[in-house]
Amino acid sequence: MSTLDDAPDLLYSETEDDLRAAVRSLLTGRGDIPAALDRAESGAPYDTALWTSLAAGIGAAGLLVPEPLGGQGASHREAAVVLEELGRAVTPAPYLTSSVIATHTLLGCGTGDGGAVAKLLSALAEGRTVAVLAVPLSTGPDAPLPDTAPGAAIRAVADAAIADVLLVIGHDGLYAVETAAPGVTVRAQTPLDLTRPLSTVTVDAAALTAGTRLADAGTAEAAVRSGLLTGAGLLASEQLGLAEWCLEETVRHTRERHQFNRPVGSFQALKHRMAQLWLEVVSARAAARNAADALATDSSGVPLAVAVAQAYCGRVAVHAAEECVQLHGGIGMTWEHPAHLYLKRAKSAEIALGSTGSHRERLAVLTALPAPGRPTA
Amino acid sequence: MNAIDAAELRRRTRDLLAAHPPADTEPADFLKARFDAGLAWVHFPAGLGGLDAPRSLQSVVDAELAASGAPDNDPRRIGIGLGMAAPTILGFGTDEQKRRFLRPLWVGDEVWCQLFSEPGAGSDLAALGTRAVREGGSGANGEGGDWIVNGQKVWTSSAHLARWAILIARTDPALPKHRGITYFICDMTAPGVDVRPLRQITGEAEFNEVFLTDVRIPDAHRLGAVGDGWKVARTTLMNERVSIGGARLPREGGMIGPVSRTWRERPELRTHQLHQRLLALWVEAEVARLTGERLRQQLAVGRPGPEGSGLKLSFARLNQEISGLEVELLGDEGLLYDDWTMRRPELVDFTGREAGYRYLRSKGNSIEGGTSEVLLNIVAERVLGLPAEPRDDKDVAWKDLAR
């Protein structure tokens, strides 16, 4: 069934529903919260067996990689569904960083001739290798890129602790550098979001030169920006999944929890807050699907669709997580209850890949609604 | 089984266009021919404007007709008829009622209005007090006799234009309030129907009060069984909310359009504080538009979601916030109003007048068709499955309720 015009396809296909079922069943079986908490406190938050099952077993890591390069040749729509599920379960997995941002950046570097880029992409697609782009997690698609001087510390690089390869922006292009190589340091920081570890990364001049140059400076900048734009667009789906879980769990809890001889969910003050949240979640789904579809069809509307999704879904996820904590009452403040993991993920995702405010500023340009004192675009 | 598919509908639409070329046909005649060809609402039964085809295939017909420049009936002018009366008559009417009412309704020959709300029964619609008493008739309980209706209705749009009304009235005050109600089709030209304009916050009279004094309704104009009126009315109300939230919009197609244009054309009005609010509302308006688009796509593939009642809530709040921002943006001009002249508009044009009008009229968006507070309760209880509000009116006879 096609729509009348070129309207975006905002629904889920049967293939996407199947993929969702596979990912959810994997995460339900193995992604349990107490274990995740134990790992987070041990400083090694990743369940590597789970990552192997997701990345290689289900083939999720290669969704964005074309089949000739060993991937699934699927699209951003399918990757978005995987991210919804990872958001629902606040799974610690380098999916957004490696399988989306790094992968998309590499796809922009020229994959011909079976060269280094193609080899690295194949390794990422198979889930054998994890690569991350060495920029702060907060870097938005239009933000200044980090200091590329060799030896400069790059802070808040997400998932660097588990990465085999860093994609490093040098003066003359993009380099692939092994994290284990001499002259590379990855120093763990204490992250707000326990499920997305952050590190300070330094790569000295010799390590950079010893790495593999993947693209020249011009190509590299375009590729990195495209990777960040894609990451921002698909992060909306992770935020959607997170918000959805927070709402469902809050509804479940308030139906069961009794105070004043009634389920607390029967009090209108609470019902209206949850109904409002539901409105936001269904709206976030439309925004996130729109961004995923725009990316999948490579439409000219990508920048606007991504900016709208990020300006909206980040706020919704934070609101959902905050309501989840509040409407759980005291238990929502405890370490044992997973609500805090969702709040921490939501708040840090709101900053990741450009803040709500920075995406609104991009929209002001894209929609020709300039700030005072600026000429109309 | 000869199921009608898209190709067959396309063929029939082209036959209609060939037999009645839009350029040489009176619009009303074209609409009648279209109804008779079963291309009005393809999911309706054959002979009643449809072909028993899947609802999703209406878009095939609409696309062919739009491309050919064929006239459309004006869904805004006849919205209550098309959106509410028609599905109710289809669902609960007798064959004779369907044959009598659906064609002139669809073509637009007969305008409909809705006599539901009362001064004492708004959000709590089932508390209504308009009485219908049966008179004469041959059966032991007066079966077959006419009904005599007395009471007052309010917020009735189009009552001064309408030929017919859908009406709910209380037929048994001894039963609890949801049970003693019966649903009727009321002739607006009958003696005892008195329509008076109700001037509102904007200065105009878009709505009416309708006073019903000894209005006689034949039993043949009853819709559904005696005492089943609440069940029938729920069909009407469900369709009302769908039609309120259902218009398809282009980007910047709603209230955000005028304020965005003013922002672009009048740089001297811009402030940083208003800029932040404008961008936030622009995002929300775009997301609400996409949510509506997603709902339509769900309907088109036969998987309707509960998003409809949500959209009405979103648009009500957005319209109010956006129009409020627009009045502020205009500064000195925002202190002025375009015209307080009392008028009776045939169409409600939410965006056609100036900012002050939009601001005032949008206050109704969170009241008409169900207040936002009641809709939030409905979402919480029916969509999220939260426990119902405790209530003490369910098993009490209507006559014994506090008023």
Side-chain angles (χ1 to χ4, degrees), chain A residues 285-368:
Chain A
R285 175 169 293 111
R289 279 275 95 187
N290 185 51
D293 190 70
L295 286 163
T297 54
D298 199 17
S299 87
S300 59
V302 166
L304 188 113
V306 171
V308 165
Q310 269 307 298
Y312 190 79
C313 297
R315 292 295 309 141
V316 171
V318 170
H319 186 216
E322 289 178 347
E323 291 289 74
C324 181
V325 169
Q326 172 65 21
L327 300 187
H328 273 77
I331 194 176
M333 284 297 291
T334 64
W335 191 260
E336 288 75 20
H337 194 278
H340 68 98
L341 293 177
Y342 286 83
L343 179 64
K344 292 162 186 172
R345 169 75 69 93
K347 196 65 191 170
S348 95
E350 189 186 32
I351 301 163
L353 296 159
S355 64
T356 305
S358 74
H359 288 288
R360 277 193 201 146
E361 279 173 24
R362 277 160 34 76
L363 268 178
V365 175
L366 294 167
T367 58

Side-chain angles (χ1 to χ4, degrees), chain B residues 345-383:
Chain B
E346 284 192 22
L347 299 179
V348 185
D349 184 356
F350 293 106
T351 54
R353 282 177 64 180
E354 291 190 356
Y357 174 86
R358 285 194 275 279
Y359 173 69
L360 295 173
R361 181 59 187 82
S362 69
K363 295 298 162 209
N365 294 165
S366 51
I367 303 170
E368 57 204 348
T371 61
S372 292
E373 288 72 17
V374 165
L375 289 183
L376 284 169
N377 275 359
I378 291 174
V379 166
E381 292 172 13
R382 308 227 180 109
V383 180

Side-chain angles (χ1 to χ4, degrees), chain B residues 113-136:
Chain B
C113 67
Q114 183 196 40
L115 298 175
F116 278 23
S117 293
E118 299 184 5
S123 290
D124 187 10
L125 181 59
L128 62 93
T130 291
R131 290 293 315 276
V133 178
R134 190 141 36 180
E135 189 186 85

Side-chain angles (χ1 to χ4, degrees), chain A residues 1-5 7-12 17 247 250-251 254-255 262-263 265-268 270-272 274-276 278-279 282-287 289-290 304 307-309 311-312 357 360-361 363-364 367-376, chain B residues 56-57 59-60 63 248 251-252 260-261 263-264 270-272 275-276 278-280 282-284 286-288 290-291 293-294 297-298 300-301 303 306-311 313-314 317 372-374 376-377 379-381 383-390:
Chain A
M1 173 69 50
S2 67
T3 48
L4 276 178
D5 44 33
D9 177 1
L10 302 175
L11 305 180
Y12 298 103
D17 285 338
L247 173 61
T250 305
V251 167
T254 56
R255 287 172 60 173
R262 282 164 62 177
S266 70
F267 287 95
Q268 198 171 73
L270 271 60
K271 285 162 84 166
H272 283 194
M274 287 183 269
Q276 177 59 36
W278 174 81
L279 268 180
V282 296
S283 305
R285 175 169 293 111
R289 279 275 95 187
N290 185 51
L304 188 113
V308 165
Y312 190 79
R360 277 193 201 146
E361 279 173 24
L363 268 178
T367 58
L369 295 169
R374 298 213 189 128
T376 303
Chain B
S56 56
L57 293 182
S59 59
V60 174
R248 187 168 197 189
R251 185 171 292 147
E252 289 192 10
S260 297
R261 279 194 291 283
W263 186 273
R264 290 183 188 115
R270 297 173 194 160
T271 71
H272 286 285
H275 191 227
Q276 285 308 308
L278 174 65
L279 290 174
W282 195 97
V283 168
E284 289 189 51
E286 170 69 357
V287 172
L290 290 167
T291 308
E293 181 61 40
R294 189 172 140 78
Q297 292 179 11
Q298 285 176 290
V301 297
R303 283 179 304 186
E307 283 85 345
S309 38
L311 268 183
L313 281 160
S314 298
R317 187 184 55 78
S372 292
E373 288 72 17
V374 165
L376 284 169
N377 275 359
V379 166
E381 292 172 13
V383 180
L384 297 178
L386 287 163
E389 291 293 306

Side-chain angles (χ1 to χ4, degrees), chain A residues 217-307:
Chain A
T219 307
E221 163 134 16
V224 166
R225 297 222 175 272
S226 166
L228 293 171
L229 186 66
T230 303
L234 294 191
L235 175 61
S237 290
E238 189 189 291
Q239 288 162 324
L240 164 65
L242 186 153
E244 215 177 30
W245 183 92
C246 290
L247 173 61
E248 279 172 25
E249 198 54 26
T250 305
V251 167
R252 193 189 63 73
H253 173 77
T254 56
R255 287 172 60 173
E256 288 171 6
R257 168 80 170 164
H258 281 64
Q259 297 278 269
F260 306 101
N261 200 35
R262 282 164 62 177
V264 295
S266 70
F267 287 95
Q268 198 171 73
L270 271 60
K271 285 162 84 166
H272 283 194
R273 283 168 71 163
M274 287 183 269
Q276 177 59 36
L277 209 48
W278 174 81
L279 268 180
E280 292 174 22
V281 170
V282 296
S283 305
R285 175 169 293 111
R289 279 275 95 187
N290 185 51
D293 190 70
L295 286 163
T297 54
D298 199 17
S299 87
S300 59
V302 166
L304 188 113
V306 171

